[in-house]
Amino acid sequence: MLKINHPLEPLNAQEVQLAVMTLRDSGKVTPTTRFVSVSLREPDKAFVHAFTGKETFVREASAVLFDNGTNACFETVVSITHRKVLSWKHIPGVQPTMTADEQIECEKAVLASPEFKAALKRQYGIEDTKLVMVDIWSAGNYGSEEDRTMRLARPLCFLRMDPTDNGYAKPIEGLRPVVDLNAMKVIRVEDHGHWPLPPQQSNYSADRATIFRGGIKPLTIVQSEGPSFEVEGNQVRWQKWSFVIGFNGREGLTLNHLCYQDGGRKRSVLYRGSLSEMVVPYGDPAPQQARKNAFDAGEYGLGYCANSLELGCDCLGFIKYFDGNLCTSRGELMTIKNAVCMHEEDYGILWKHTDRRLNTPEVRRSRRLVISSIDRKSTR
């Protein structure tokens, strides 16, 4: 087992696998159970504040599971240290986050649906679905005929002109399939009439764009003596600041136990910082769009949507990367390489003063420490 330096460090790959294995060994996981999330169960705040680095501590995981066979959601707590399930609680009448696996399976179900294929041919003359994109979207609860406890999706569909095209430029606006995610089956296709596909090509990828800004020469950032931050595990020390970088499937990046060394006293400034939710109400009153809104953290999981970041593309200079260790809905390890990056940057003049009598200008430059996680839903 890898050494854990701080009780708020996120679960590493071995711990995620141990949590899943412990849940499987409990006998409560069925063939139709999905692992929606497995993340650190944070210890008591008082223990963290008193932690000096010498104390021993147990590691626990919180897991959310969903059984497609019984349409039932469960919250569990697992002791990774003792390899034991500590609690297993049924949460009735709720639907947890849609998983990455369900997004893939939902697309396949829509493209295989005879009803959807017939609607595509009728409205758009499309017979080959190879270039059709299907994006899973939460159905929400709008008092429709379906039971609000059903696990439903109302995907948005798009058309590519070739396998690498930007499909979002050509929405198939008139058709909205509704999918039962438990059965992974299209239960109906909402037909809102024929909406012409936009004729223009709108692919802005680097290998297709014809016009780029000119006159920009390479900008090289060099830190010949290395960075000013120190990293031990997921603990970071920079200037007089210290904190722990966390990551989980729902929120993605978190900052934990952020403290400032104020003389002989370590002051707690922020115990836990995260993006708890990001709500996007699109506000289009058209019948096929009116239900379109997104709760990005709760419905899709910001961590599960995180990109693997790259040097020179997402961050510049001396970069420290942190992986995100999650699991698929079938309990397999899912590691997002470089899910978080950290670097220092020069942020211009912070303060400048000139005494006209001495003619000795004084300047202090601003130095920032930037911690980034970037995904399909948000940037922070």
Side-chain angles (χ1 to χ4, degrees), residues 27-77:
K28 295 178 180 292
V29 174
T30 72
T32 56
T33 298
R34 291 186 188 268
F35 292 81
V36 177
S37 64
V38 177
S39 58
L40 175 69
R41 184 173 187 260
E42 297 177 7
D44 290 341
K45 193 172 181 180
F47 174 80
V48 174
H49 278 309
F51 182 71
T52 66
K54 299 177 182 178
E55 299 85 355
T56 59
F57 52 90
V58 298
R59 295 280 278 177
E60 295 179 352
S62 294
V64 176
L65 298 96
F66 185 78
D67 190 338
N68 290 124
T70 58
N71 194 46
C73 178
F74 302 90
E75 290 182 353
T76 73
V77 176

Side-chain angles (χ1 to χ4, degrees), residues 45-292:
K45 193 172 181 180
F47 174 80
V48 174
H49 278 309
F51 182 71
T52 66
K54 299 177 182 178
E55 299 85 355
T56 59
F57 52 90
V58 298
R59 295 280 278 177
E60 295 179 352
S62 294
V64 176
L65 298 96
F66 185 78
D67 190 338
N68 290 124
T70 58
N71 194 46
C73 178
F74 302 90
E75 290 182 353
T76 73
V77 176
V78 178
S79 171
I80 297 172
T81 304
H82 300 110
R83 302 191 185 185
K84 180 181 179 182
V85 176
L86 302 179
S87 69
W88 181 285
K89 183 180 180 182
H90 175 222
I91 311 297
V94 302
Q95 291 293 331
T97 303
M98 292 186 291
T99 65
D101 304 61
E102 286 174 299
Q103 295 182 39
I104 297 170
E105 293 169 30
C106 178
E107 181 171 43
K108 291 179 179 179
V110 171
L111 296 181
S113 164
E115 186 179 357
F116 181 72
K117 288 181 178 179
L120 268 180
K121 183 177 181 180
R122 181 176 65 252
Q123 289 290 13
Y124 295 95
I126 300 172
E127 296 189 51
D128 187 354
T129 61
K130 288 189 180 69
L131 296 178
V132 175
M133 290 169 36
V134 180
D135 280 5
I136 197 170
W137 275 73
S138 166
N141 176 22
Y142 296 87
S144 61
E145 66 274 21
E146 288 92 13
D147 185 330
R148 68 181 179 86
T149 62
M150 289 181 68
R151 191 164 180 78
L152 299 178
R154 298 183 76 249
L156 294 172
C157 302
F158 309 86
L159 182 66
R160 285 183 165 130
M161 304 311 294
D162 64 73
T164 63
D165 191 24
N166 172 26
Y168 298 107
K170 297 184 184 298
I172 301 174
E173 198 75 353
L175 301 177
R176 292 296 299 273
V178 179
V179 181
D180 178 351
L181 296 179
N182 285 328
M184 206 52 74
K185 181 179 179 181
V186 174
I187 59 175
R188 73 169 186 272
V189 177
E190 297 177 352
D191 191 333
H192 298 281
H194 179 76
W195 292 62
L197 293 170
Q200 296 85 3
Q201 299 300 310
S202 299
N203 195 315
Y204 300 103
S205 60
D207 61 345
R208 296 191 183 218
T210 57
I211 300 175
F212 288 94
R213 177 185 293 176
I216 302 295
K217 296 182 179 181
L219 177 63
T220 303
I221 298 172
V222 178
Q223 293 176 275
S224 58
E225 297 182 19
S228 301
F229 55 74
E230 298 175 6
V231 179
E232 184 179 6
N234 277 52
Q235 289 186 91
V236 178
R237 287 178 292 277
W238 182 74
Q239 302 291 301
K240 295 184 178 182
W241 296 96
S242 64
F243 56 91
V244 179
I245 289 179
F247 190 86
N248 64 71
R250 179 187 175 97
E251 301 162 301
L253 170 64
T254 66
L255 294 181
N256 304 285
H257 201 209
L258 191 146
C259 300
Y260 186 80
Q261 192 66 38
D262 187 2
R265 176 187 171 212
K266 186 176 181 180
R267 279 198 307 150
S268 176
V269 177
L270 175 70
Y271 185 74
R272 192 179 195 278
S274 71
L275 185 60
S276 58
E277 186 56 274
M278 188 170 80
V279 184
V280 186
Y282 286 78
D284 187 334
Q288 71 273 39
Q289 293 285 344
R291 297 188 185 189
K292 182 182 173 185

Side-chain angles (χ1 to χ4, degrees), residues 291-305:
R291 297 188 185 189
K292 182 182 173 185
N293 64 84
F295 290 83
D296 286 339
E299 291 181 334
Y300 306 101
L302 294 172
Y304 281 100
C305 295

